[in-house]
């Protein structure tokens, strides 16, 4: 009857009526039907209508599908028609995803996506990005429930690391002592326990590297000083310094994270008081202060110095000198950052709480011991707080209803992801699970599911743009108005209460995260501006403000910024951080840095640091604030500009457009 049909791309292919029968029969089977004869009879009706409408004319696949729907409905097969329509919509999404994927591949081949500021522009980085783009499209169109996929796509929520949705976990506090004491296997043979310090630190970098290749987030040593101390006893100060220098060099040069990045590494130090542990900390800080081979600022590791009363806070404390050294190094190199063990939410754990550079914190555990080692975050999803506020149109009751709904969606989506992750097997994560790095993985065999271990991890709901949400609701943000500040705390406390209810409902470690937004800060505002237009103080910038932070362009003193942000830390039990901005490295004013750190502690913060420009001429090795395009000493344009982004350090040439805009807007807080 018909010889050809036109495909969506314009090609004409042979017409095959059996494809119509097959499609109708599949739809019928989806609702319990098993009668192929009926499908064939309905096909005849489709062909009659096609002949009547297109006799002698060209028609396309979409035209055929429109008539199939019409025939099914008019013949009284409403349920089959619905199944057919849903199938058709799903196939459309898959086709669109394929088209979007090809567009993404074309863009990536020109320049690597800058969603992550530590990805290079190398061939392996481009291949990683292409694989990530394909993986994201697959999960959105094939695995995620429609409600959750659409919520992510339209910008109600953001599923972080979507490309790894069903393949691995986010991050881990690695039990370094266990691996160095017992030895380990990276896949090609057993590595015996080290006897010398240099070997121990070399193996520590290999451990970070191997763990990173099993996961998509950061890797951290929760007690680096404690775990390396046993290997320092027979080493001189010079040998200890050399070992720490080599560690830093390795962590800035091992591009082993999917072949494109160095491992996202963090080291927690500061509260061990034994002589060997103190020597580890001193020489690590000194090596970091010296920088890389020409004096460049190290990017990794992120060093986190624990501050604890009675241990290092005051003169007379055994590690007070190390605290002073940490302040001196931070004043030049941006690191270390500082975690506060005496805060209201950390003090119950003594000196055991550890952080990561991305601000992640994992401590409480309703399924086992409350420890940091051998645990990490499983996954996290961020809600678009400004969007909820915009849609509420200044009605707080509507806002809280909307917030409850999107929080519930994010919680259910995280549980869906957890069920997918729980079906992974030990052999899917050969180092993390195979070498027993995760709590309760000791008894698992290669083919066992990993749920017994990952029940100890955390599932985190994050948020972004509290400042813009408050502006949408009240006209002012929490840096401008006391009532807005009170409402901000009320909102974040409300989110935390929903998280605590989820813990009870699912018996899992749900937590609230002050999201470290990078590419997301620009993605959300772009979608909201397109849907709602330009709203003063809300969608008029290229980015949303991170988590609960005061906007970066808000004129405010360091003292007031810390005081306003401090109360939010206690609600964000998945992680939090606050910074103050300085105009230049405060190398000649460590007293000011110490005053800032102490004020952070007094304002009940859990984690904080200082920011300032670190510019380096790679031609003549000038380390300074270089405001011009060329070096003032040698005239070279080869300037490396290091800044902090989402907790970690990076060079500004790898920042995306929204973060570059934010960087330009940053005001100092002095």
């Amino acid at each position: 009857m018909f010889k050809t049909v036109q495909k969506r791309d314009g090609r004409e292919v042979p017409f095959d009526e059996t494809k119509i029968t097959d499609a109708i029969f599949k739809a019928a089977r989806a609702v319990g039907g098993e009668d192929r004869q009926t499908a064939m009879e309905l096909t005849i009706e489709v062909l009659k209508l096609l002949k009547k409408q297109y006799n002698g004319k060209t028609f396309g696949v979409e035209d055929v599908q429109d008539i199939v729907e019409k025939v099914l409905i008019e013949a009284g097969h409403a349920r089959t028609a619905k199944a057919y329509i849903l199938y058709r919509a799903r196939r459309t999404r898959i086709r669109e995803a394929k088209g979007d994927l090809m567009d993404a591949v074309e863009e990536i081949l020109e320049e690597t996506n800058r969603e992550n500021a530590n990805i290079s522009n190398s061939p392996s980085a481009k291949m990683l990005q292409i694989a990530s783009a394909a993986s994201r499209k697959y999960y959105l169109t094939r695995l995620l429930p429609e409600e959750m996929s659409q919520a992510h796509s339209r910008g109600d929520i953001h599923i972080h690391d979507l490309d790894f949705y069903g393949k691995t976990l986010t991050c881990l506090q690695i039990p370094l002592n266990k691996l160095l004491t017992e030895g380990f296997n990276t896949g090609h043979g057993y590595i015996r326990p080290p006897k010398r310090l240099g070997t121990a630190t070399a193996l520590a970098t290999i451990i970070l590297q191997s763990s990173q290749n099993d996961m998509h987030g950061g890797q951290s040593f929760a007690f680096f000083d404690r775990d390396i101390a046993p290997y320092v006893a027979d080493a001189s100060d010079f040998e200890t310094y050399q070992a720490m220098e080599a560690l830093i060099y390795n962590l800035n040069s091992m591009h082993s994270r999917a072949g494109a990045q160095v491992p996202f590494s963090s080291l927690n130090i500061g509260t061990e008081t034994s002589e060997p542990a103190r020597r580890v900390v001193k020489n690590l800080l000194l090596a970091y202060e010296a920088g890389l081979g020409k004096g460049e600022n190290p990017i990794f590791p992120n060093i986190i110095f624990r501050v604890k009363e009675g241990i290092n806070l005051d003169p007379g404390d055994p590690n007070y000198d190390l605290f002073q050294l940490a302040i001196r190094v931070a004043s030049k190199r941006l690191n270390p950052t500082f975690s506060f063990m005496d805060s209201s939410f950390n003090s119950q754990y003594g000196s055991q709480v550890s952080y990561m550079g991305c601000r992640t914190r994992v401590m409480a555990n309703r399924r086992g011991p409350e420890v940091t080692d051998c645990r990490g975050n499983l996954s996290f999803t961020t809600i678009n707080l400004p969007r909820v506020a915009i849609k509420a149109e200044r009605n707080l009751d509507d806002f809280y209803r909307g917030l409850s709904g999107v929080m519930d969606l994010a919680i259910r989506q995280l549980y869906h992801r957890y069920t997918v992750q729980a079906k992974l097997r030990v052999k899917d994560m050969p180092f993390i699970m195979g070498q027993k790095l995760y709590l309760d993985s000791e008894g698992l065999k290669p083919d066992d599911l990993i749920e017994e271990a990952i029940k100890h991890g955390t599932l985190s709901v994050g948020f972004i743009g509290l400042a813009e949400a408050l502006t949408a609701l009240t006209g002012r943000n929490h840096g401008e108005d006391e009532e807005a500040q009170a409402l901000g705390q009320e909102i974040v406390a409300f989110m935390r209460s929903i998280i605590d209810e989820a813990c009870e409902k699912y018996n899992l470690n749900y937590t609230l995260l002050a999201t470290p937004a990078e590419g997301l800060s620009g993605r959300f505002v772009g979608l909201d501006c397109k849907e709602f237009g330009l709203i003063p103080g809300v969608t008029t910038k290229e980015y949303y403000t991170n988590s609960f932070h005061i906007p970066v362009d808000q004129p405010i003193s360091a003292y007031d910024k810390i005081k306003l942000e401090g109360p939010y830390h206690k609600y964000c039990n998945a992680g939090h951080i606050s910074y103050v901005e300085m105009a230049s490295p405060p190398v000649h004013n460590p007293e000011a840095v110490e005053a800032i750190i102490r004020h952070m502690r007094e304002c009940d913060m859990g984690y904080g640091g200082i920011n300032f420009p670190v510019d380096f001429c790679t031609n003549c090795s000038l380390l300074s604030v270089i405001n011009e395009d060329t070096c003032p000493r040698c005239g070279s344009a080869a300037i490396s500009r290091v800044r902090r982004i989402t907790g970690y350090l990076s060079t500004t040439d790898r920042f995306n457009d929204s973060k570059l805009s934010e960087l330009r807007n940053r005001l100092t807080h002095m």
Side-chain angles (χ1 to χ4, degrees):
M1 182 180 294
F2 305 107
K3 292 184 178 180
T4 62
V5 63
Q6 192 173 61
K7 300 280 282 185
R8 292 173 181 83
D9 61 6
R11 292 179 296 119
E12 290 193 1
V13 298
F15 181 83
D16 184 357
E17 65 185 62
T18 61
K19 290 185 177 181
I20 299 175
T21 304
D22 290 342
I24 295 173
F25 187 53
K26 284 180 181 178
R29 294 188 71 177
V31 293
E34 291 291 343
D35 188 355
R36 188 174 179 84
Q37 180 62 34
T38 299
M40 294 173 67
E41 293 170 358
L42 291 168
T43 301
I44 293 172
E45 295 302 314
V46 171
L47 295 174
K48 288 179 181 178
L49 277 179
L50 281 171
K51 183 177 181 181
K52 180 179 178 181
Q53 191 166 340
Y54 297 103
N55 191 24
K57 300 178 182 177
T58 301
F59 57 87
V61 172
E62 294 284 353
D63 301 318
V64 176
Q65 292 180 342
D66 288 343
I67 289 178
V68 170
E69 288 182 17
K70 178 180 174 63
V71 167
L72 287 172
I73 292 170
E74 291 182 351
H77 297 280
R79 293 175 65 217
T80 301
K82 182 178 180 180
Y84 181 81
I85 291 168
L86 289 173
Y87 171 77
R88 182 181 178 185
R90 181 169 176 269
R91 295 299 301 174
T92 298
R93 290 199 307 276
I94 291 172
R95 284 193 304 275
E96 290 174 349
K98 289 178 180 177
D100 292 344
L101 174 59
M102 292 303 103
D103 291 341
V105 169
E106 183 177 13
E107 181 182 348
I108 291 164
L109 288 174
E110 293 179 4
E111 181 178 7
T112 302
N113 185 301
R114 290 179 292 156
E115 184 175 320
N116 183 318
N118 280 297
I119 294 180
S120 69
N121 201 42
S122 67
S124 59
K126 292 180 187 294
M127 290 302 294
L128 167 66
Q129 289 291 304
I130 290 170
S132 294
S135 185
R136 284 193 294 269
K137 293 298 181 185
Y138 170 80
Y139 287 127
L140 282 174
T141 58
R142 303 291 185 92
L143 180 67
L144 274 162
E146 178 75 7
E147 173 191 26
M148 299 169 186
S149 175
Q150 290 299 314
H152 173 87
S153 296
R154 67 175 172 257
D156 295 337
I157 63 172
H158 181 84
I159 302 169
H160 292 268
D161 302 293
L162 177 60
D163 44 344
F164 287 98
Y165 194 94
K167 287 301 178 187
T168 186
L169 317 175
T170 299
C171 58
L172 180 65
Q173 292 282 4
I174 300 169
L176 179 59
N177 179 61
K178 166 186 165 66
L179 294 171
L180 293 181
T181 302
E182 300 176 3
F184 56 93
N185 191 323
T186 59
H188 293 287
Y190 173 73
I191 297 177
R192 66 176 181 267
K195 296 180 180 178
R196 305 175 69 89
L197 175 61
T199 307
T201 54
L203 292 183
T205 62
I206 292 171
I207 289 166
L208 286 166
Q209 175 187 39
S210 300
S211 181
Q212 184 73 86
N213 284 333
D214 269 7
M215 310 183 87
H216 59 71
Q219 310 304 316
S220 175
F221 293 140
F223 305 99
F224 180 74
D225 44 2
R226 180 199 70 188
D227 295 347
I228 290 294
Y231 306 94
V232 173
D234 297 329
S236 66
D237 241 26
F238 176 70
E239 290 169 329
T240 305
Y241 179 88
Q242 281 192 311
M244 298 305 140
E245 181 182 56
L247 175 89
I248 293 168
Y249 281 13
N250 280 330
L251 291 179
N252 284 276
S253 60
M254 294 191 309
H255 286 79
S256 57
R257 187 176 187 261
Q261 304 170 70
V262 295
F264 282 23
S265 54
S266 297
L267 310 179
N268 289 264
I269 59 171
T271 52
E272 295 295 318
T273 58
S274 71
E275 191 278 330
R278 282 174 43 78
R279 203 172 346 145
V280 169
V281 173
K282 182 185 75 171
N283 286 283
L284 174 67
L285 292 173
L286 289 174
Y288 199 94
E289 182 180 40
L292 301 180
K294 293 184 177 181
E296 305 98 318
N297 206 95
I299 301 299
F300 291 106
N302 192 76
I303 302 175
I304 303 157
F305 190 93
R306 288 185 177 94
V307 179
K308 176 70 174 173
E309 186 175 12
I311 294 180
N312 53 36
L313 181 65
D314 298 312
D317 289 347
N319 283 359
Y320 178 71
D321 59 329
L322 296 179
F323 178 41
Q324 295 300 302
L325 177 59
I327 291 169
R328 188 182 88 191
V329 177
S331 299
K332 178 181 180 181
R333 296 295 188 184
L334 295 165
N335 276 329
T337 45
F338 298 86
S339 60
F340 304 103
M341 298 297 101
D342 299 319
S343 64
S344 62
F345 45 88
N346 283 338
S347 59
Q348 62 183 301
Y349 303 111
S351 300
Q352 298 302 300
V353 179
S354 297
Y355 287 83
M356 294 189 187
C358 60
R359 75 195 61 189
T360 297
R361 173 187 181 273
V362 177
M363 198 66 218
N365 184 10
R366 61 188 299 112
R367 302 293 294 273
E370 295 185 319
V371 296
T372 289
D373 255 350
C374 305
R375 300 176 63 213
N377 180 249
L378 306 179
S379 54
F380 66 103
T381 294
T382 292
I383 65 167
N384 185 344
L385 205 54
R387 171 171 287 205
V388 180
I390 293 168
K391 293 170 74 173
E393 297 182 334
R394 299 208 171 188
N395 184 309
L396 279 179
D397 290 337
D398 287 349
F399 171 76
Y400 279 114
R401 275 191 291 272
L403 182 55
S404 294
V406 75
M407 288 284 291
D408 176 69
L409 175 66
I411 287 165
R412 287 187 286 110
Q413 179 270 310
L414 285 167
Y415 183 71
H416 175 267
R417 189 169 188 173
Y418 174 81
T419 63
V420 174
Q421 292 169 323
K423 293 176 183 176
L424 292 170
R425 300 183 184 277
V426 169
K427 63 185 179 184
D428 295 322
M429 301 177 68
F431 190 72
I432 298 295
M433 296 296 170
Q435 296 304 297
K436 319 304 180 187
L437 272 64
Y438 223 94
L439 197 63
D440 276 354
S441 62
E442 292 85 354
L444 301 180
K445 298 180 176 61
D447 285 320
D448 288 343
L449 302 180
I450 66 172
E451 183 170 16
E452 183 63 22
I454 68 169
K455 67 184 182 186
H456 299 292
T458 58
L459 299 165
S460 300
V461 176
F463 65 95
I464 186 175
L466 177 65
E468 288 78 14
L470 290 170
T471 300
L473 290 169
T474 71
R476 296 171 72 81
N477 67 54
H478 53 317
E480 299 172 312
D481 182 81
E482 290 184 5
E483 291 185 4
Q485 166 72 344
L487 179 59
Q489 292 184 62
E490 181 183 292
I491 290 169
V492 178
F494 177 78
M495 288 192 286
R496 173 61 185 273
S497 69
I498 294 177
I499 290 295
D500 291 344
E501 290 171 4
C503 292
E504 295 295 326
K505 179 178 180 180
Y506 293 94
N507 195 28
L508 290 170
N509 295 308
Y510 278 93
T511 49
L512 183 65
L513 177 69
T515 292
E518 190 170 337
L520 173 59
S521 63
R523 175 177 182 259
F524 271 170
V525 74
L527 291 169
D528 289 350
C529 189
K530 183 177 181 180
E531 181 168 349
F532 304 107
L534 291 173
I535 303 172
V538 182
T539 62
T540 47
K541 297 176 186 174
E542 294 183 48
Y543 56 89
Y544 278 150
T545 303
N546 270 9
S547 59
F548 53 72
H549 291 178
I550 303 297
V552 298
D553 58 354
Q554 182 85 35
I556 192 171
S557 70
Y559 179 88
D560 287 338
K561 183 177 191 289
I562 293 167
K563 185 178 179 180
L564 289 171
E565 291 187 5
Y568 294 97
H569 283 228
K570 62 178 175 290
Y571 299 118
C572 302
N573 57 340
H576 40 249
I577 198 164
S578 288
Y579 303 110
V580 297
E581 296 287 334
M582 296 181 168
S584 60
V587 290
H588 301 300
N589 195 5
E591 295 82 9
V593 176
E594 182 171 358
I596 288 170
I597 294 166
R598 288 182 179 275
H599 186 48
M600 287 178 168
R601 178 181 177 275
E602 290 162 2
C603 290
D604 205 29
M605 287 186 171
Y607 186 30
I610 55 171
N611 289 343
F612 46 81
V614 176
D615 300 330
F616 182 80
C617 175
T618 60
N619 182 60
C620 71
S621 301
L622 173 66
L623 181 66
S624 181
V625 176
I626 304 174
N627 293 319
E628 304 300 324
D629 293 333
T630 57
C631 175
R633 185 162 71 186
C634 72
S636 171
I639 309 298
S640 173
R641 303 182 189 276
V642 174
R643 304 291 186 272
R644 196 184 308 279
I645 182 169
T646 67
Y648 293 110
L649 304 182
S650 183
T651 51
T652 58
D653 59 305
R654 298 187 180 185
F655 280 30
N656 60 46
D657 291 341
S658 62
K659 279 300 176 184
L660 284 172
S661 177
E662 185 220 85
L663 182 62
R664 287 192 294 270
N665 290 349
R666 291 181 187 179
L667 297 180
T668 57
H669 301 129
M670 297 304 291

